Amino acid sequence: MATYDLIIIGGGFLGVSTAYEAAKAGLKTLLLEAGDLGSGTSGSCSGRAQVAEGHLDPLNITLARDGLKRHEGLAEELGYDYAWRRVDLLLLLRNERHRQEWIERAAFLNSVRIPTEVIDNGPLHAAEPNLVMDGLFGAVHTVEGRVDPLRFVHAYARAAARLGAELLRHTPVMSMQVEGRRVVAVHTPRGAFSAGAVAVMTGAWEAPVARLAGVDLPIHHAHAESFITEPIAPMIFHNIGLSDSYETIHGKPKAVTVGIHPELNGTLAIAESVTRTPELHKRVSAWGLSAIATEMVKLYPFLARVRVVRSWGRPTSFTPDEEPLVGWAPELDNLFVATSLMETITAVPLLSQWMALMLCGKEPPMSLDLYSPARFPAPAAQHWS
Amino acid sequence: MSEHCELAVIGAGPAGIEAALAGARAGLSTVLIDQAPAAGGQYYHRSPGAFATPHPTAVEREGQALADQLGPAGVRRIVNALVWGLFKEEDGDGWLITASIAGNNASGTPLKVHAARVVLATGAYDTPLPFPGWTLPGVLTCGAALQLLKSQRVAPFKRVLVSGTGPLLLSVAAHLIDAGVKVVRVCEANRTPLGAVAHAPTLVREWHRLSEGLRYGLSLARGGTPYTQGWSVVAAEGLERVERATIAKLAADGAPIAGTRQTVDVDAVICGYGFTPNTGLARMAGCGFAYDRAARAWLPQRDPHLRSDLPGLYLAGDGAWVAGVGHSRLEGIVAGVTAAFDAGKIDAAGLEALLAPVRPRLAHQRRFGLFLQTHFSPPPGLATLAEADTLLCRCEEVSQAEVRAAVTDGARTLGEVKMLTRTGMGNCQGRMCERGVTAAICRANHSDAAEVGLYAVRPPLVPLTVDFLIRAGED
Amino acid sequence: MYRIKATSDLLPELTRGPALTVTVNGAAVEAYDGETIAAVLLAAGLWQLRRTRRRGEPRGPYCGMGVCFECLVTVDGTAAVRACLTPVTDGMRIETGQETAP
């Protein structure tokens, strides 16, 4: 049985970036991905590196602000262009309450060096001449990041491989062998592997995979659908979001909100309809396509004549308190988990470095207790062999 | 508009018509959906209704006779209907089919069909084969040429090269010659002894195929058209359209032999390198697929009764495995009666009674299909025709060099190459490039097509306007 | 010139539908009821239906059955219509050489 310092299960943003940082730190690393790299949520997202919409505690602020900064030199470090760029986000304010809340929030964000401003309808109309202004109370303007999510996964994977990490695709984990408080083997159709530590970074699939080691994690998910248009002449000039997205979708069995993300090649990526379903899948529904189409023409009527070329569906995972889950699972001695970030792409370059430190047995520069799995009351222990 | 039925058959070609007839006659409320105005699919493609055709060919009469049975059998026909989505119903079992009626991508009328069971009979399309210049106007498939000649009665050519593999090349050439077009040569990539070819009709006891072959041979002789085995087009050139084509002799594996290239002046190259099942809806629905080495294609998995691995979904005909019209019609029957059995309309004895006469005939047709597959598949060496600058993905204009660069960069699967190069992300959702990109990855990586994977297909099956999608959501 | 006049057992006698008024890029072309846009364009000798985005290369019909999306033309103001699948109608205005919408 081949032995490693670290086995990472899951080849999305968290998995591949941690594989890179771990290999850089000198850990002999194996990454196991059930499908293609980035074939889960990572490859299906809009590629936004958000910075202003997360929780406002020092940890999240640091990861957002400094994560964004680390992106600036990252392509050169990894030796691969993943289309990183800074873009202007306009978060359209849908009522007066949101406007007031954001004025306060912007003041705070400015104080922690995340430049944010609230603009009125006049400047908003000048910035987005094709936007329907009815019912808007101005917008929040901030500068966030944007990547090609597929190339971003590939950039890290490639760099990790060059540093000696092994990345196996189409290699699902079938079972994990636990003896006492340690995972002693990970079983796949390609054979069994063992490691000093096993890290589960499988996004929305975190709960079923962790359960293979007898660990129960409170990971929930919603199913989100998006689509992409044909290339069009420039008519939308910013990333567009809605201030009421969260309220619209939170806790609802079926809801739709709109985010519009112009791509470099002239296409528009449009998010997103959301449903609650126990199933983890990547299908797209007829309802979802129609619902998104209906909402987006309310903002930009010209989109009615634009063609939708492709769609995709993905589960997005979250914890009960909507803080990420990152850290050592308390039930075992060598199982590390990381999933359910809210501003994933922004945080990943920095967080992966900190996780690599933890996987080497060291402390990260800031405490990650806020994200610790230990914060959830453990259910009755189950030991699977 | 919304309809409900016990059985929906998508595709009104030979397989679809037979499946609809079988289902309806067994007592299922049956709907037959097709994007054309008349039933028949590609094989029985009918001339436009506005044309008067006082002397239909034997094939046309056969197709008409088959389609004429649909009305009396009580099959509800939905025509001019482009199916763009196939979804599991959100509540309960059964399927939701979404279509656009009588419109192109923008102006159609949305239709929803709620079906307890679905037979996919979506047929096949000409297998694309990349070679330098294959994207030039004037490079056409056999299927396209036959539509133009037979149904539209147009021959927009003066001098043509026909290249590919299989008996269809002779049919295309004969039609061209009859239309007054100069066919400079027919290049058959495989070397099949004439004895073996003559043997083939005996497998299905279809003697008319021998006389067909002779008929085509006569046309070629009259047209002064050489028919050469072991040759293929290797390049097309021209500024705004085809002006010249280069052919070469092939080694046994299909790779061109150095020093044998010849250039001919032509204004069109008609390519017929076999057929690929049109499996977009099966992929969208989530059917299991397996790589079939003999067919060199990803085929949907079916049990002996043509059930997919998804409840209530069946696949029949060339849309699941290419073996021609006889095979398709018999599979249509199997799928239709199986659906009726699964719905409880017929019992096990009734199923057996209906299938018993079909089985031996289906076995013969399968042998014939295997024969064609063995002797008339594009030889693997043809994958070497594409050069570095040859576009493998026509829609997104991705060259072989870019695909190779992605592999050098670590991409191992079709999905990963797609991620990095955008192959398969255009209008055709990978139908034209899957085989070519797979072949390029395998050559660059020394890997196996089975490891490379296949493209996922998501709705809409064809690009649709936002406005149409809004209307499609209104009930 | 390219409409087939000759007949044989493979290409039996056929009478097209009545002539229709169809323009291509503003100019009238010969067209008959029942013909597809692709057939009308090819019969008029027009093979270059569009130009590609990246390389600006000419493209024309390839598969003839609507799966390749090469034969995209603009019809009565609607872009990206597949010429091989779409019959001509009286008064139809066809434009070639374009790619997409607004």
Side-chain angles (χ1 to χ4, degrees), chain A residues 36 158 169 290 306 308 310-311, chain B residues 409 413 416 459 464 466 469:
Chain A
D36 289 330
R158 187 177 170 274
R169 296 101 160 134
S290 299
V306 169
V308 173
R310 257 179 10 264
S311 65
Chain B
D409 250 350
T413 63
E416 288 169 12
L464 296 170
V466 168
L469 288 172

Side-chain angles (χ1 to χ4, degrees), chain B residues 247-441:
Chain B
I247 60 176
K249 194 167 180 191
L250 304 180
D253 69 345
I257 299 173
T260 67
R261 295 165 77 100
Q262 298 173 19
T263 300
V264 289
D265 287 334
V266 290
D267 59 6
V269 178
I270 296 177
C271 301
Y273 289 91
F275 294 93
T276 297
N278 203 356
T279 53
L281 288 175
R283 295 181 193 206
M284 189 188 294
C287 288
F289 274 70
Y291 188 72
D292 184 310
R293 282 179 199 294
R296 261 185 280 135
W298 286 90
L299 302 180
Q301 290 171 298
R302 304 179 292 169
D303 74 5
H305 285 86
L306 309 187
R307 300 179 184 96
S308 74
D309 59 351
L310 298 172
L313 191 67
Y314 312 78
L315 301 129
D318 284 357
W321 180 62
V322 176
V325 59
H327 184 262
S328 292
R329 287 182 62 168
L330 293 167
E331 282 211 335
I333 297 173
V334 174
V337 304
T338 302
F341 169 76
D342 288 345
K345 292 291 187 183
I346 53 182
D347 60 14
L351 179 68
E352 183 54 29
L354 287 165
L355 290 184
V358 168
R359 263 189 224 108
R361 295 159 62 202
L362 192 50
H364 284 131
Q365 292 290 343
R366 240 170 229 149
R367 277 202 290 279
F368 184 68
L370 285 169
F371 175 88
L372 288 178
Q373 192 174 264
T374 304
H375 290 279
F376 294 116
S377 288
L382 289 176
T384 65
L385 296 185
E387 293 171 355
D389 196 48
T390 307
L391 295 183
L392 297 183
C393 172
R394 299 174 66 118
C395 296
E396 295 290 313
E397 302 173 81
V398 182
S399 68
Q400 175 159 224
E402 290 173 75
V403 171
R404 284 187 185 148
V407 172
T408 305
D409 250 350
R412 290 277 164 279
T413 63
L414 194 63
E416 288 169 12
V417 166
K418 177 180 178 179
M419 270 170 47
L420 301 182
T421 63
R422 298 189 56 81
T423 61
M425 289 194 184
N427 286 325
C428 87
Q429 291 220 42
R431 283 190 199 85
M432 294 293 109
C433 70
E434 183 169 273
R435 279 174 78 127
V437 176
T438 298
I441 296 171

Side-chain angles (χ1 to χ4, degrees), chain A residues 22-262:
Chain A
K24 205 162 80 166
L27 295 179
K28 184 180 176 206
T29 305
L30 170 70
L31 183 147
L32 301 169
E33 162 55 50
D36 289 330
L37 295 179
S39 60
T41 307
S42 293
S44 313
C45 70
S46 63
R48 278 182 71 199
Q50 298 157 281
V51 76
E53 293 156 85
H55 294 169
L56 298 177
D57 54 272
L59 175 59
N60 281 300
I61 291 285
T62 303
L63 285 173
R65 182 194 55 227
D66 298 348
L68 209 68
K69 251 192 273 165
R70 178 145 159 70
H71 270 287
E72 293 294 345
L74 190 57
E76 195 178 324
E77 178 186 327
L78 299 177
Y80 196 83
D81 171 25
Y82 56 90
W84 159 258
R85 62 238 187 240
R86 293 211 177 226
V87 294
D88 292 280
L89 168 72
L90 289 174
L91 208 60
L92 307 179
L93 292 163
R94 305 267 261 181
N95 57 54
E96 182 58 36
R97 174 172 60 84
H98 286 169
R99 182 180 168 83
Q100 290 308 320
E101 284 171 2
W102 270 99
I103 289 173
E104 281 182 42
R105 194 180 160 95
F108 175 76
L109 288 169
N110 283 311
S111 75
V112 293
R113 298 184 339 264
I114 296 178
T116 308
E117 59 171 344
V118 173
I119 65 175
D120 293 336
N121 277 352
L124 175 58
H125 178 64
E128 283 289 327
N130 299 304
L131 172 65
V132 168
M133 301 296 299
D134 301 349
L136 294 182
F137 289 72
V140 181
H141 168 241
T142 187
V143 175
E144 59 179 24
R146 194 83 197 283
V147 307
D148 179 323
L150 307 168
R151 294 178 73 88
F152 187 46
V153 169
H154 187 73
Y156 266 120
R158 187 177 170 274
R162 287 194 177 184
L163 289 177
E166 289 172 51
L167 291 85
L168 294 182
R169 296 101 160 134
H170 296 263
T171 309
V173 171
M174 314 304 291
S175 63
M176 287 199 253
Q177 204 176 322
V178 175
E179 278 162 24
R181 287 179 55 88
R182 296 189 67 81
V183 178
V184 298
V186 171
H187 293 272
T188 78
R190 290 200 207 213
F193 306 95
S194 76
V198 173
V200 179
M201 302 193 175
T202 50
W205 287 264
E206 193 84 351
V209 176
R211 201 163 298 123
L212 297 176
V215 172
D216 273 313
L217 298 173
I219 302 295
H220 311 298
H221 73 272
H223 180 78
E225 298 170 359
S226 314
F227 59 61
I228 197 157
T229 68
E230 58 177 331
I232 65 170
M235 301 276 279
I236 299 179
F237 305 95
H238 304 78
N239 263 8
I240 302 291
L242 298 178
S243 63
D244 57 357
S245 280
Y246 180 80
E247 287 165 24
T248 304
I249 63 180
H250 183 65
K252 308 265 180 27
K254 233 179 181 178
V256 59
T257 182
V258 174
I260 301 177
H261 315 297

Side-chain angles (χ1 to χ4, degrees), chain B residues 161-200:
Chain B
L161 171 70
V162 174
S163 180
T165 181
L168 203 60
L169 301 181
L170 297 171
S171 172
V172 172
H175 282 83
L176 285 163
I177 291 164
D178 277 18
V181 177
K182 174 68 180 166
V183 179
V184 304
R185 186 189 287 255
V186 175
C187 291
E188 161 62 62
N190 281 294
R191 291 178 180 85
T192 308
L194 279 174
V197 177
H199 171 61

